[in-house]
Amino acid sequence: MNALAISPRASGAFPQPPPLRYVAILDKRLHDLGSEADPRLREDLNTRMILFGAGWSPSRLQASGVLRPAENSAPGCVSEGT
């Protein structure tokens, strides 16, 4: 039987889970799809997930021009409700 033990010190490494977002890669740009995406979008070859490291967030990537906000994303790449 395999088991994974996590020490209290290790479990404190992420007091809050890091942000995880879906993005679509279209025209060499990242388009934010939000934290939930329509199943058809998740299956698309242009859809990926991003796990943000310490100090990074969707808003920081948007401010730097790397990530296009969902409301400014290319038509058809954002599902309703995101």
Side-chain angles (χ1 to χ4, degrees), residues 3-19:
L4 174 64
I6 300 176
S7 72
R9 183 179 299 171
S11 65
F14 292 113
Q16 294 181 353

Side-chain angles (χ1 to χ4, degrees), residues 20-37:
L20 186 63
R21 305 284 286 203
Y22 287 96
V23 297
I25 304 169
L26 300 168
D27 299 323
K28 299 181 184 180
R29 300 200 65 181
L30 293 176
H31 299 266
D32 188 10
L33 299 177
S35 57
E36 297 290 327

Side-chain angles (χ1 to χ4, degrees), residues 3-68:
L4 174 64
I6 300 176
S7 72
R9 183 179 299 171
S11 65
F14 292 113
Q16 294 181 353
L20 186 63
R21 305 284 286 203
Y22 287 96
V23 297
I25 304 169
L26 300 168
D27 299 323
K28 299 181 184 180
R29 300 200 65 181
L30 293 176
H31 299 266
D32 188 10
L33 299 177
S35 57
E36 297 290 327
D38 182 90
R40 290 175 299 162
L41 289 174
R42 287 195 312 255
E43 297 298 321
D44 190 279
L45 290 175
N46 293 319
T47 300
R48 304 287 189 272
M49 292 191 85
I50 293 180
L51 177 65
F52 294 89
W56 290 94
S57 67
S59 59
R60 183 175 176 193
L61 281 181
Q62 289 171 8
S64 68
V66 173
L67 181 65
R68 293 181 60 123

